[in-house]
Amino acid sequence: MELDLTPKLPKQVYGGDGGSYFAWCPEELPMLKEGNIGAAKLALEQYGFAVPRYSDSPKVAYVLQGSGTAGIVLPEKEEKVIAIKKGDSIAIPFGVVTWWFNNEEADLEILFLGETHKAHKSGQFTDFYLTGSNGIFTGFSTEFVGRAWDLDETTVKTLVSSQTGKGIVKLDKGFKMPQPKVEDRDGFVINCLEAPLDVDIKDGGRVVVLNTKNLPLVGEVGFGADLVQIDGHSMCSPGFSCDSALQVTYIVGGSGRVQVVGADGKRVLETHITAGSLFIVPRFFVVSKIADPEGMSWFSIVTTPDPIFTHLAGRTSVWKALSPEVLQAAFKVDSEVEQLFRSKRTSDAIFFPPSN
């Protein structure tokens, strides 16, 4: 059975006046189920409020556009109220309750990528809502809710039935939500557009890596992430994850071409990718990308907290490590061709600007 790696767009799961929730479906993107990966996107309009919920999967959230407020409650901890903006990334472990609110005119869009090894459904997230028409209160009887919170029957019915929205609601313009605290961002959020660059190649590209060093909660979610931006016509070196990790890639902006090569030297994907699409590179498969004139950026998770990559071009590539005789024998070429091959791409770069 051949793997279908074709990039896909998400489909709306639910929505209303306050915004919409979208998800990638395992039936349309089989690698989600194959790799136990979930992917979803939340889009909130002005005054849109995503009610408190927790998930059956650890996730990394990335703010694609807009700004707003997020509430985060770790188990047995106090609520953190955080101002979020474009470029922010947040690690969300198991059992963490979150809510999201947009008070601005521009839409707030948040991408969620995560693992579903322990999820109820492989390849997709299941959220458990604390309130609303599908909230956990609605499933318990009046007696159970009343006894658990020591409330009379009338109050219980008001508490359970007043919020008729599902997942996302629109609040009144004058409603006052809690104000974010600057100190609450510490240890919870890193802005990938402002963080120190892990890779910076002039006219080539830039990378910010999320790992246990700059975002400790990454260790709890169990996988790392990165934001990659490459300039127009630049190439991202062919490479693979050498620690058996999957690469889950969402195209944030721009467009370009991608090729993926698997076992037996077979090209399993060659396509043009655009903003909003998502694709998954299987374990050990080699991937490379070339940007269109406007450049291209993508946000990825790699299913290990501190991923290790092997690049097949540049000074640190495996080709440079192999002895000349081995290359000559492997390629079946003479020493002149081997030396020419070895003499190219002598920098540490993983991004290659277009040749002049």
Side-chain angles (χ1 to χ4, degrees):
M1 178 180 176
E2 292 189 0
L3 292 174
D4 181 8
L5 304 183
T6 308
K8 301 291 185 181
L9 297 172
K11 289 191 173 182
Q12 184 176 359
V13 179
Y14 63 85
D17 291 340
S20 299
Y21 180 84
F22 304 83
W24 281 264
C25 176
E27 285 70 34
E28 293 189 357
L29 190 58
M31 276 302 299
L32 290 173
K33 188 173 184 179
E34 180 79 18
N36 268 309
I37 299 295
K41 187 166 67 172
L42 176 67
L44 294 179
E45 301 172 6
Q46 188 174 29
Y47 309 127
F49 175 48
V51 302
R53 79 280 308 275
Y54 61 92
S55 175
D56 64 354
S57 304
K59 309 172 185 176
V60 169
Y62 180 75
V63 181
L64 297 168
Q65 72 172 52
S67 59
T69 308
I72 301 175
V73 183
L74 297 176
E76 307 299 326
K77 302 290 184 181
E78 293 185 355
E79 178 186 54
K80 300 286 186 179
V81 181
I82 299 169
I84 57 174
K85 61 181 180 179
K86 181 178 179 180
D88 277 351
S89 188
I90 306 170
I92 307 173
F94 282 115
V96 171
V97 173
T98 63
W99 55 262
W100 311 85
F101 177 64
N102 180 19
N103 194 44
E104 305 297 329
E105 289 186 15
D107 285 357
L108 172 64
E109 291 191 4
I110 305 166
L111 173 72
F112 298 96
L113 301 177
E115 287 191 326
T116 63
H117 283 93
K118 297 181 180 180
H120 287 271
K121 299 177 181 178
S122 179
Q124 62 188 90
F125 304 134
T126 298
D127 288 337
F128 295 83
Y129 304 92
L130 301 191
T131 67
S133 61
N134 59 341
I136 58 173
F137 272 5
T138 62
F140 283 106
S141 66
T142 302
E143 177 194 1
F144 271 62
V145 175
R147 291 192 63 177
W149 283 272
D150 192 22
L151 298 173
D152 61 69
E153 183 177 348
T154 301
T155 303
V156 168
K157 291 181 177 179
T158 300
L159 195 65
V160 172
S161 62
S162 294
Q163 180 55 271
T164 58
K166 177 182 177 180
I168 299 172
V169 298
K170 188 170 185 176
L171 302 183
D172 293 337
K173 181 178 179 180
F175 191 88
K176 298 295 183 182
M177 290 292 282
Q179 292 299 304
K181 300 176 181 178
V182 175
E183 60 269 23
D184 281 356
R185 285 179 61 93
D186 295 342
F188 283 86
V189 184
I190 182 173
N191 188 280
C192 297
L193 300 177
E194 300 173 353
L197 297 172
D198 292 278
V199 177
D200 186 8
I201 307 299
K202 183 179 179 181
D203 299 323
R206 295 152 297 284
V207 182
V208 170
V209 178
L210 277 65
N211 52 37
T212 53
K213 295 179 181 178
N214 56 19
L215 194 61
L217 281 177
V218 163
E220 293 190 35
V221 301
F223 49 85
D226 59 29
L227 176 70
V228 180
Q229 303 173 80
I230 60 175
D231 299 322
H233 301 294
S234 290
M235 179 185 198
C236 182
S237 165
F240 65 93
S241 171
C242 58
D243 51 6
S244 75
L246 292 162
Q247 299 177 59
V248 186
T249 300
Y250 175 87
I251 306 302
V252 174
S255 59
R257 292 175 290 149
V258 60
Q259 292 185 356
V260 177
V261 176
D264 297 321
K266 183 178 181 181
R267 189 185 307 156
V268 293
L269 178 66
E270 180 175 17
T271 191
H272 186 261
I273 46 178
T274 57
S277 58
L278 180 130
F279 69 100
I280 301 173
V281 179
R283 294 176 175 87
F284 301 110
F285 282 37
V286 180
V287 59
S288 184
K289 309 177 189 73
I290 297 178
D292 285 339
E294 73 271 25
M296 182 166 59
S297 61
W298 60 88
F299 185 81
S300 299
I301 65 167
V302 182
T303 54
T304 182
D306 295 294
I308 302 173
F309 288 97
T310 292
H311 290 278
L312 300 179
R315 187 181 66 80
T316 59
S317 78
V318 65
W319 301 119
K320 304 292 186 181
L322 291 170
S323 60
E325 294 80 7
V326 170
L327 288 186
Q328 290 175 44
F331 280 119
K332 198 179 179 180
V333 296
D334 58 29
S335 60
E336 182 179 351
V337 174
E338 186 278 328
Q339 289 174 12
L340 179 63
F341 176 72
R342 186 181 294 274
S343 67
K344 299 294 185 178
R345 300 298 187 202
T346 57
S347 73
D348 291 337
I350 61 171
F351 303 121
F352 307 134
S355 301
N356 293 327

